[in-house]
Amino acid sequence: MAKRNLYLKTVSVEEAYEKYYTALKDKNILDKKTEEVRTVDALSRITSEAIYAKCNSPLFNAAAMDGICVDSKKTKNASEENPVVLKLGVDYKIVDTGDAIKPPFDAVIMAEDVIEIDDETIKIIAPVSGWENIRPIGEDIVVGEMILESNHAIKPIDIGALIAGGISKIKCYKKSTVGIIPTGDEIIDMKDDPKEGDIIDSNSYMIKALVDESYGIGNRYNIVKDNYDDIKKRILESLNDNDITIVNAGSSAGTEDYTVHILRELGDVIVHGVSMKPGKPVILAIVNGKPVIGLPGYPLSAYLAFDLFVRPLLMKEKIYSEEIDAITSKRLVSSLKYREYVRVKVGKVDDKYIAAPLNRGAASQMSMVRADGILVIPQNSEGVEASENSKVKLLKNKSKLDNTLVSIGSHDILMDIVSDIMAKNYDGVTLSSTHVGSMGGLLALKRGETIIAPTHLLDENTGVYNVAIIEEIFGKGKISLIKGFNRIQGIMVKKGNPLNIKSIEDLTKCKFVNRQRGAGTRVLFDYKLKTLGIDPNLIDGYDKELSTHMAVAASVASPYADAGMGVKSAADSMGLDFIEVGVEEYDFAIKTDNLDDDKVKKFIGVIKGQELHDKLDKLGGYGFDKVGEIINI
Amino acid sequence: MAKRNLYLKTVSVEEAYEKYYTALKDKNILDKKTEEVRTVDALSRITSEAIYAKCNSPLFNAAAMDGICVDSKKTKNASEENPVVLKLGVDYKIVDTGDAIKPPFDAVIMAEDVIEIDDETIKIIAPVSGWENIRPIGEDIVVGEMILESNHAIKPIDIGALIAGGISKIKCYKKSTVGIIPTGDEIIDMKDDPKEGDIIDSNSYMIKALVDESYGIGNRYNIVKDNYDDIKKRILESLNDNDITIVNAGSSAGTEDYTVHILRELGDVIVHGVSMKPGKPVILAIVNGKPVIGLPGYPLSAYLAFDLFVRPLLMKEKIYSEEIDAITSKRLVSSLKYREYVRVKVGKVDDKYIAAPLNRGAASQMSMVRADGILVIPQNSEGVEASENSKVKLLKNKSKLDNTLVSIGSHDILMDIVSDIMAKNYDGVTLSSTHVGSMGGLLALKRGETIIAPTHLLDENTGVYNVAIIEEIFGKGKISLIKGFNRIQGIMVKKGNPLNIKSIEDLTKCKFVNRQRGAGTRVLFDYKLKTLGIDPNLIDGYDKELSTHMAVAASVASPYADAGMGVKSAADSMGLDFIEVGVEEYDFAIKTDNLDDDKVKKFIGVIKGQELHDKLDKLGGYGFDKVGEIINI
């Protein structure tokens, strides 16, 4: 076999951070350059030193309200019985808020407390004390007082205060420039037509956005093929033009991963391999007195490694994001060897936060897009038990989670559309929908992990959908069913139906792809097989399980399968032919108590609404004669 | 008196929002324009429609790890006793992660599980099943699947997923342009030399930063003087050039507040006056089919009104920021007429969050800079009792608060410097310091609202600082004293000492400014008066109390006072003369249990450190012979 890289002994995240940052410190690489920036241009910049006020605010003793300014001594004896009469220009002056008050005047009386006699004469019926309704000089900001400390990210309100404190320029850290080098024979730029074997380079653009978001300036280079000399040349070019260089990927131990060899030739590799998952193949190096970092090829690994090792270089401060306690919805087994970062969806159900793990593969970019937070399983732990409390680092505002309607259960494209309509029409109220099949959803509802559970489970005895199984799981009196949509289920086959499949019986003569146990479509399929007396073992691919209609459709469109069961809308969206098998009812189970929840009411409004129905009509295969009806079970 | 505006009947925040947004909706003003943006340039942009994948990711069935691809059927009988021998090119191919797997191969075996015989022959000792270690086509993203919903602010990870899903351009809302018009006779641009009566225009720059931060484009106009025709002309100019116009200020009811009259002449004033505090004088108008908003002149009012009424116009979604439950440290009385926004510092002490109200004046810009959150007192509430639980909307990350050492007590400039050194040297650990005088700090420590309490209270009987009073308040065995700094206390007088003040006795012949009851400086001053047998009533200004050394110094530098008591560093920083009165001990009281707290250890490190001592030496007036010593009381 061809030669592969061996990792240097992998080290823990803390050790890697410590080793690398100590090395950078020793070579003074962490001392960032500073520059003067106009205060008005300083939004989001990081202060490199404390900033002290150069003038007082207010600059002078100022009226705190609209009214008149007076000499308080002259008002001493004023009362309802003995009003004091004052003359304009002699005894008082008219002032608006902010006007300067100068001796002999030393107090302001509110306009409302003044009785007008004529244009130049007034009377007052209560005394005022010295300094009343005056904002004394320096009340808000005093010369020499610190307005901002070092390493502070400047907010709009700070800009106002700096200007009020007489600061027109401030010292900030210079933005670091970061060269980003995408490498790989199989990587193509997104403008090209992708063909089998190609991988669209999306990482380098994600990394550029991460750099920009972290107050750096990302410079992306063109893709370099897997060639030792070409990669070396590009690294040297980037070292010349940038403060920091990132190589992506080639940091792993594959046959064509040259990065670590090049960096060893050019400089010092401080760390190669960090015991974290995802993200293991990280290279932390120093070349020509500058940091060079090899990020792994899987998007998630690149994202996490960036967060841990590159972002601190750019921000000069550690990033803290919020942590919450959440109950894990299922058991997570993890290796003692790694600290593992598990992306989770977080939902608030009955005042508890529930963390539902998403796809744990490092390649799953969407799991990060969909994630509400990251659950960290420490390096020396075997995992987390179901229903155990864990710390989750949030990627979203907690209050946003509080406004999210949680749905776990059967998948249908319509849930995406409902989610979008809610996001568009309701301020901040959104739908978070996880797909685990009908039965999985009902069990999540039972465990208190979801508010609604989309389900389409046929009772083989009565032929009625959903009611029987809910009664079996929950008993009577607790759950209601929000009636949803009639859906046409059927067999998806390749365009033109080359194998001439006409019914379920024909599935024994082709490569089939199945849905997972517990999915309503699977229940329907197994029911049909039983009714027809077909042995599942005769169906090639019966054991190949996928978890959504769309995944089945994508498989049928590929050379690996000829047919699968699913809904018409999924078949249409992949350009497949479709043989109708039957109509089923796709409904929403919910605790009866939760029907009053404002988010649920909005959800019901959307599923009954014309906007959704128009969109479903366009997709085809849906009926809505009972939608929104409530059945108490 | 001159004519003043009368507000239209003020309305509640909800009513104002509802009225204005209904009016904007009726005239279709809220329908924002959209534009196509390259995905790679879309960081932080807001999607105007849902985005669906155009290609699968992966694009093909791909190796999930480095190894060899095989036909799983050929491995069926492999075992340690009966290894299966495979030939390169015939039975297997070498693959790296991400390589395409094509028929007849249907599984990948990890490099580690392969036993090499020669360069072209291997053996395996375990079977592999079909599809093993293969990422099937569309595993992450399937064509037609929604990647992002509408109204989503695009993050770096989203950019990666969009590109992987074949999306090179997306539809976003066009950024709104916002004209910002600063008005007022007394307002000057910050480049000029401020003189008495001038107010530096800081609001318009803060508003521009708020606009930019909310994904808009802020265009600031030059200052317009208070002249009806000039303001009208500038508003028309801005209406022509921008989507939204903000006039600041002139929205109030002063003699020269023309804005509302101009807007009534040009279009419709929907709301004038909102029952919130600060922020009452808000104008919400529509002119030529565009929103025109009059923001109040006080910075805080402008900030809050922007947040409530302008930001939603720019963001297309409501902003949610996090809320916590916090215990209010003192009683807050509020009017039934307003919803009041109180800026608070929030500290975590013994696992509870404590909200300490900051300056409630609408003019206090620094209260917003210093604020950790905003406590909202509802419109129909009379306020909040001390120790009552309240909701606080955070302006900072909660985890940042958890890393903050809370200090409440006596003020000294050195606390600013300590705070800056901590921010610079310790990742994320900061000092939050509130100034309520020595006694106020000890009482806060007693109530559990602070971790450390800086104090310098002389015991009149023993002449020893701090120990006696702590024992009196807490008893023995609970509190420790971290010894701090010797400080020279004295009388600050104007430069050159024109009144020739030489001692405390001379204070009867000048205008004095005092510190508040409970401040260590005040205790020292009262002790000296008593010792010298001087009647406080003989001192003009004895009742005028200020709460920091710097405020006293600023007052002595103004025409309103001739002398005040305080520390030398404050006098020096305002260029005042100083007459030494005595040396006192400025120490830090703390619960003995909290000495082990990591943040406290870092604090002690800083006060003992050379960096601080060098800076204090430069200021002058400090001694540090016992600094960092611990006295258990």
Side-chain angles (χ1 to χ4, degrees):
Chain A
M1 292 199 56
K3 195 164 168 292
R4 291 177 188 276
N5 287 330
L6 284 181
Y7 289 108
L8 302 177
K9 192 177 153 292
T10 62
V11 296
S12 73
V13 172
E14 287 80 10
E15 235 178 303
Y17 187 91
E18 189 60 32
K19 273 179 92 165
Y20 193 47
Y21 278 77
T22 305
L24 292 172
K25 236 179 193 165
D26 287 348
K27 304 198 177 188
N28 292 323
I29 294 170
L30 288 180
D31 281 336
K32 286 190 62 181
K33 285 180 212 118
T34 62
E35 64 183 342
E36 229 176 30
V37 173
R38 293 198 317 154
T39 305
V40 297
D41 299 326
L43 182 64
S44 298
R45 299 298 296 264
I46 315 281
T47 57
S48 62
E49 59 181 31
I51 302 169
Y52 297 89
K54 283 191 187 153
C55 69
N56 295 307
S57 174
L59 272 165
F60 46 86
N61 297 306
M65 30 187 73
D66 299 332
I68 59 167
C69 66
V70 296
D71 176 356
S72 61
K73 286 194 292 297
K74 292 190 182 171
T75 71
K76 208 160 52 180
N77 300 316
S79 68
E80 294 218 29
E81 297 74 37
N82 288 307
V84 168
V85 175
L86 301 172
K87 279 279 170 198
L88 181 66
V90 183
D91 302 316
Y92 75 90
K93 269 174 58 184
I94 294 173
V95 288
D96 282 333
T97 308
D99 286 349
I101 308 297
K102 297 179 200 174
F105 303 120
D106 69 349
V108 169
I109 302 177
M110 281 174 70
E112 291 89 319
D113 294 339
V114 167
I115 300 159
E116 215 167 320
I117 297 176
D118 60 40
D119 270 5
E120 302 206 328
T121 323
I122 56 148
K123 62 179 181 181
I124 54 161
I125 55 173
V128 62
S129 19
W131 293 73
E132 204 163 300
N133 296 327
I134 288 181
R135 295 183 57 217
I137 175 173
E139 186 196 45
D140 192 20
I141 301 173
V142 177
V143 171
E145 180 181 23
M146 184 170 67
I147 299 182
L148 296 177
E149 55 197 18
S150 308
N151 289 342
H152 176 92
I154 292 173
K155 303 189 297 292
I157 192 79
D158 301 329
I159 291 179
L162 288 168
I163 293 173
I167 310 294
S168 59
K169 286 176 181 172
I170 61 170
K171 269 241 178 108
C172 294
Y173 292 112
K174 239 181 158 151
K175 291 187 171 198
S176 302
T177 51
V178 182
I180 301 153
I181 306 173
T183 71
D185 284 340
E186 68 286 11
I187 305 285
I188 57 148
D189 220 359
M190 61 169 164
K191 62 178 177 287
D192 305 325
D193 265 348
K195 53 184 190 296
E196 186 153 303
D198 287 341
I199 298 174
I200 300 174
D201 167 38
S202 62
N203 275 359
S204 66
Y205 294 103
M206 174 189 75
I207 294 168
K208 176 170 162 35
L210 284 167
V211 168
D212 294 346
E213 196 194 46
S214 311
Y215 312 125
I217 299 170
N219 298 315
R220 176 185 178 271
Y221 288 89
N222 288 333
I223 295 165
V224 191
K225 295 285 169 202
D226 281 326
N227 174 299
Y228 192 97
D229 291 327
D230 291 347
I231 297 175
K232 181 175 156 188
K233 210 177 116 196
R234 188 58 55 84
I235 289 176
L236 287 169
E237 185 186 340
S238 169
L239 277 165
N240 198 47
D241 296 345
N242 299 284
D243 300 318
I244 299 170
T245 294
I246 293 175
V247 186
N248 180 247
S251 63
S252 188
T255 50
E256 291 174 335
D257 290 329
Y258 299 120
T259 310
V260 76
H261 303 296
I262 296 169
L263 294 178
R264 280 206 201 106
E265 184 199 322
L266 296 176
D268 299 321
V269 171
I270 313 292
V271 172
H272 183 209
V274 177
S275 21
M276 59 187 274
K277 185 184 171 185
K280 186 178 166 188
V282 177
I283 304 170
L284 305 175
I286 300 176
V287 180
N288 298 348
K290 290 180 176 179
V292 181
I293 291 136
L295 291 181
Y298 277 140
L300 229 352
S301 315
Y303 181 94
L304 287 168
F306 181 94
D307 219 41
L308 284 167
F309 301 111
V310 186
R311 207 194 288 270
L313 282 176
L314 297 171
M315 306 276 287
K316 280 286 277 183
E317 59 170 351
K318 238 185 202 157
I319 305 306
Y320 291 92
S321 67
E322 201 195 348
E323 268 191 6
I324 58 163
D325 286 311
I327 293 165
T328 315
S329 69
K330 62 179 179 192
R331 192 167 173 231
L332 286 169
V333 180
S334 179
S335 158
L336 291 174
K337 288 197 295 193
Y338 301 112
R339 173 194 291 187
E340 187 169 358
Y341 296 85
V342 182
R343 277 81 62 209
V344 292
K345 292 229 50 119
V346 181
K348 195 177 189 183
V349 180
D350 300 339
D351 285 330
K352 293 168 310 191
Y353 290 101
I354 311 289
L358 289 160
N359 185 338
R360 288 166 80 182
S364 176
Q365 218 160 11
M366 282 303 286
S367 74
M368 196 67 191
V369 173
R370 291 200 184 107
D372 300 317
I374 291 177
L375 186 154
V376 180
I377 305 177
Q379 191 170 341
N380 292 313
S381 155
E382 289 189 317
V384 179
E385 294 300 318
S387 302
E388 202 176 315
N389 232 326
S390 290
K391 293 277 174 210
V392 172
K393 191 172 146 184
L394 291 185
L395 300 167
K396 285 186 184 164
N397 268 345
K398 199 167 92 181
S399 47
K400 192 152 188 174
L401 295 181
D402 295 349
N403 281 292
T404 297
L405 175 62
V406 180
S407 165
I408 301 181
S410 169
H411 173 257
D412 191 289
I413 310 178
L414 78 86
M415 294 302 277
D416 276 355
I417 303 173
V418 169
S419 165
D420 185 47
I421 294 176
M422 286 182 78
K424 249 192 319 214
N425 296 326
Y426 297 116
D427 273 338
V429 176
T430 53
L431 176 72
S432 142
S433 133
T434 306
H435 311 132
V436 298
S438 295
M439 187 58 86
L442 292 177
L443 295 175
L445 184 64
K446 176 97 178 169
R447 289 192 304 268
E449 292 166 5
T450 185
I451 297 178
I452 61 172
T455 178
H456 54 117
L457 288 170
L458 177 67
D459 180 42
E460 298 189 0
N461 303 315
T462 63
V464 174
Y465 267 87
N466 299 323
V467 174
I469 183 76
I470 290 174
E471 208 178 308
E472 193 184 319
I473 298 176
F474 295 89
K476 277 194 180 244
K478 281 182 198 139
I479 301 294
S480 296
L481 202 60
I482 303 167
K483 289 301 290 177
F485 302 86
N486 295 328
R487 281 200 315 195
I488 300 174
Q489 281 273 12
I491 305 164
M492 312 186 208
V493 296
K494 286 188 203 303
K495 196 165 180 61
N497 197 0
L499 297 182
N500 197 25
I501 293 162
K502 287 185 176 148
S503 65
I504 288 180
E505 286 90 336
D506 295 338
L507 296 178
T508 53
K509 62 178 193 191
C510 72
K511 280 180 290 171
F512 183 72
V513 61
N514 210 347
R515 287 293 307 280
Q516 85 278 23
R517 266 164 293 253
T521 303
R522 173 69 171 270
V523 172
L524 175 65
F525 183 57
D526 288 349
Y527 172 69
K528 291 281 180 190
L529 290 180
K530 204 170 134 191
T531 319
L532 297 166
I534 300 170
D535 178 0
N537 289 323
L538 296 176
I539 297 177
D540 181 13
Y542 180 84
D543 291 331
K544 171 105 185 94
E545 299 183 347
L546 294 174
S547 63
T548 67
H549 295 279
M550 292 298 276
V552 170
S555 232
V556 173
S558 86
Y560 280 90
D562 303 313
M565 280 277 290
V567 294
K568 185 168 182 304
S569 53
D572 287 349
S573 79
M574 295 292 289
L576 301 171
D577 279 11
F578 185 80
I579 299 109
E580 192 172 326
V581 167
V583 173
E584 59 168 11
E585 294 165 41
Y586 182 84
D587 302 327
F588 308 96
I590 182 168
K591 282 191 195 151
T592 306
D593 289 349
N594 281 334
L595 281 172
D596 287 337
D597 184 309
D598 186 51
K599 299 188 286 289
V600 173
K601 286 183 182 160
K602 286 183 170 143
F603 172 79
I604 296 175
V606 171
I607 62 171
K608 288 168 80 170
Q610 200 55 45
E611 185 174 356
L612 177 63
H613 297 184
D614 288 349
K615 288 190 169 160
L616 293 181
D617 273 340
K618 242 185 231 168
L619 285 175
Y622 292 92
F624 2 82
D625 41 318
K626 289 187 190 164
V627 63
E629 278 180 26
I630 307 291
I631 296 174
N632 296 316
I633 292 170
Chain B
M1 293 198 57
K3 196 164 167 291
R4 291 176 187 277
N5 287 328
L6 285 179
Y7 290 110
L8 302 177
K9 192 176 153 291
T10 63
V11 296
S12 73
V13 172
E14 288 79 10
E15 235 178 302
Y17 186 91
E18 189 61 33
K19 273 179 92 166
Y20 193 47
Y21 278 76
T22 305
L24 293 171
K25 234 178 193 167
D26 286 349
K27 304 196 177 188
N28 292 323
I29 294 170
L30 288 179
D31 280 336
K32 287 189 63 179
K33 284 178 213 123
T34 63
E35 63 183 343
E36 230 176 30
V37 173
R38 294 200 316 155
T39 304
V40 297
D41 299 327
L43 182 63
S44 297
R45 298 298 298 263
I46 315 282
T47 57
S48 62
E49 58 180 32
I51 303 169
Y52 298 90
K54 283 190 187 156
C55 69
N56 296 307
S57 175
L59 271 165
F60 46 86
N61 297 305
M65 32 187 71
D66 299 334
I68 59 167
C69 66
V70 297
D71 176 355
S72 61
K73 286 192 292 294
K74 292 189 181 170
T75 72
K76 209 159 54 181
N77 300 317
S79 67
E80 294 217 30
E81 296 74 39
N82 288 307
V84 169
V85 174
L86 302 172
K87 280 277 172 200
L88 181 65
V90 184
D91 302 316
Y92 75 90
K93 267 175 55 186
I94 295 173
V95 287
D96 282 333
T97 307
D99 285 350
I101 308 298
K102 298 180 200 175
F105 303 121
D106 69 350
V108 169
I109 302 177
M110 281 175 68
E112 290 88 318
D113 295 339
V114 167
I115 300 159
E116 218 167 318
I117 297 176
D118 60 40
D119 270 4
E120 302 206 328
T121 322
I122 57 150
K123 63 179 178 179
I124 55 162
I125 56 173
V128 63
S129 20
W131 294 73
E132 205 162 302
N133 296 327
I134 289 182
R135 296 183 57 217
I137 176 174
E139 186 196 48
D140 192 19
I141 301 173
V142 177
V143 171
E145 179 182 20
M146 184 170 68
I147 299 181
L148 297 177
E149 55 197 16
S150 308
N151 289 341
H152 176 92
I154 292 172
K155 304 189 296 291
I157 192 80
D158 302 328
I159 291 179
L162 289 168
I163 293 172
I167 309 294
S168 58
K169 285 177 184 170
I170 61 170
K171 269 243 178 107
C172 294
Y173 291 112
K174 235 179 165 153
K175 290 188 172 197
S176 301
T177 51
V178 182
I180 300 155
I181 306 174
T183 70
D185 284 339
E186 67 286 10
I187 305 285
I188 56 150
D189 221 359
M190 61 168 166
K191 62 177 178 289
D192 305 326
D193 266 346
K195 54 182 188 298
E196 186 153 306
D198 287 341
I199 298 174
I200 301 174
D201 167 38
S202 62
N203 274 359
S204 66
Y205 294 104
M206 173 188 77
I207 294 169
K208 178 171 160 36
L210 284 167
V211 168
D212 293 347
E213 195 193 48
S214 311
Y215 313 125
I217 298 169
N219 298 315
R220 177 186 177 270
Y221 289 90
N222 288 332
I223 295 166
V224 191
K225 296 285 170 202
D226 281 327
N227 173 299
Y228 192 97
D229 291 327
D230 290 349
I231 298 175
K232 181 175 154 187
K233 213 177 115 194
R234 188 59 56 83
I235 290 175
L236 288 169
E237 186 186 340
S238 168
L239 276 165
N240 198 47
D241 296 344
N242 298 284
D243 299 320
I244 298 171
T245 294
I246 293 175
V247 186
N248 181 247
S251 62
S252 186
T255 49
E256 291 174 334
D257 291 329
Y258 299 121
T259 311
V260 75
H261 302 297
I262 296 168
L263 295 177
R264 280 205 203 107
E265 186 200 322
L266 296 175
D268 298 321
V269 171
I270 312 293
V271 172
H272 182 209
V274 177
S275 20
M276 58 187 273
K277 185 183 170 184
K280 187 178 166 189
V282 178
I283 304 171
L284 305 174
I286 300 176
V287 179
N288 298 348
K290 290 180 175 177
V292 181
I293 290 137
L295 292 180
Y298 277 139
L300 229 354
S301 315
Y303 181 93
L304 287 167
F306 181 94
D307 220 40
L308 284 167
F309 301 111
V310 186
R311 207 193 288 269
L313 282 175
L314 297 170
M315 306 276 289
K316 281 287 279 183
E317 59 170 347
K318 237 186 205 154
I319 306 307
Y320 290 92
S321 66
E322 200 194 348
E323 267 191 5
I324 57 162
D325 286 310
I327 293 166
T328 317
S329 70
K330 63 177 177 193
R331 192 167 173 232
L332 285 169
V333 180
S334 179
S335 157
L336 291 175
K337 288 198 297 195
Y338 302 112
R339 174 194 291 187
E340 186 168 359
Y341 297 85
V342 182
R343 276 81 63 210
V344 293
K345 292 227 51 117
V346 181
K348 196 177 189 181
V349 180
D350 299 340
D351 285 329
K352 291 168 311 190
Y353 291 99
I354 312 288
L358 289 160
N359 185 338
R360 286 166 81 183
S364 175
Q365 216 159 14
M366 282 304 286
S367 73
M368 195 69 192
V369 173
R370 291 198 186 108
D372 300 317
I374 291 179
L375 185 155
V376 180
I377 306 177
Q379 191 169 338
N380 292 310
S381 155
E382 289 188 317
V384 179
E385 294 300 318
S387 303
E388 203 175 313
N389 232 326
S390 291
K391 293 275 174 211
V392 172
K393 194 173 146 183
L394 291 184
L395 299 167
K396 284 185 183 162
N397 268 345
K398 199 167 91 180
S399 46
K400 192 150 189 176
L401 294 181
D402 296 349
N403 281 293
T404 297
L405 174 62
V406 180
S407 165
I408 302 181
S410 169
H411 173 255
D412 191 291
I413 309 179
L414 76 86
M415 294 301 277
D416 276 356
I417 303 173
V418 170
S419 164
D420 185 47
I421 294 176
M422 287 181 78
K424 246 190 324 214
N425 296 327
Y426 298 116
D427 272 338
V429 176
T430 53
L431 176 72
S432 142
S433 141
T434 306
H435 312 132
V436 298
S438 294
M439 186 58 84
L442 292 177
L443 295 176
L445 184 64
K446 175 94 177 172
R447 288 192 303 268
E449 293 167 4
T450 185
I451 297 178
I452 61 171
T455 179
H456 56 116
L457 287 169
L458 178 67
D459 180 40
E460 298 189 2
N461 302 315
T462 62
V464 174
Y465 267 87
N466 299 323
V467 175
I469 183 75
I470 291 174
E471 209 179 308
E472 193 185 317
I473 298 177
F474 294 90
K476 278 191 179 250
K478 283 183 196 140
I479 301 295
S480 295
L481 201 59
I482 304 167
K483 288 302 289 177
F485 301 87
N486 295 329
R487 277 199 320 191
I488 300 174
Q489 280 274 11
I491 303 165
M492 312 186 207
V493 296
K494 285 187 202 304
K495 194 165 184 63
N497 197 0
L499 296 183
N500 197 24
I501 292 162
K502 286 182 176 151
S503 66
I504 288 181
E505 286 91 333
D506 294 339
L507 295 178
T508 53
K509 62 178 191 190
C510 72
K511 279 179 291 170
F512 183 73
V513 61
N514 209 348
R515 288 293 306 280
Q516 84 278 21
R517 266 163 293 249
T521 304
R522 172 69 172 266
V523 171
L524 175 65
F525 183 56
D526 287 347
Y527 172 68
K528 291 282 180 191
L529 290 181
K530 204 170 134 190
T531 318
L532 297 167
I534 300 170
D535 178 0
N537 287 322
L538 295 177
I539 296 176
D540 181 12
Y542 180 83
D543 290 332
K544 172 104 186 97
E545 298 182 346
L546 295 174
S547 63
T548 67
H549 294 279
M550 292 298 275
V552 169
S555 230
V556 173
S558 86
Y560 279 91
D562 302 313
M565 281 277 290
V567 294
K568 186 166 182 305
S569 53
D572 287 349
S573 81
M574 296 292 291
L576 300 172
D577 279 10
F578 185 78
I579 299 109
E580 193 172 326
V581 168
V583 172
E584 59 168 12
E585 293 166 40
Y586 182 85
D587 302 329
F588 307 97
I590 183 168
K591 282 192 193 148
T592 306
D593 288 349
N594 281 333
L595 281 171
D596 287 338
D597 184 308
D598 186 52
K599 299 188 287 288
V600 173
K601 286 184 181 158
K602 286 183 170 141
F603 173 79
I604 294 175
V606 171
I607 63 172
K608 288 169 81 170
Q610 200 56 45
E611 184 174 356
L612 177 64
H613 297 185
D614 288 348
K615 287 192 171 161
L616 292 181
D617 274 340
K618 243 186 230 167
L619 284 176
Y622 292 92
F624 3 81
D625 40 316
K626 290 187 188 163
V627 64
E629 280 180 24
I630 307 292
I631 297 174
N632 296 316
I633 293 171

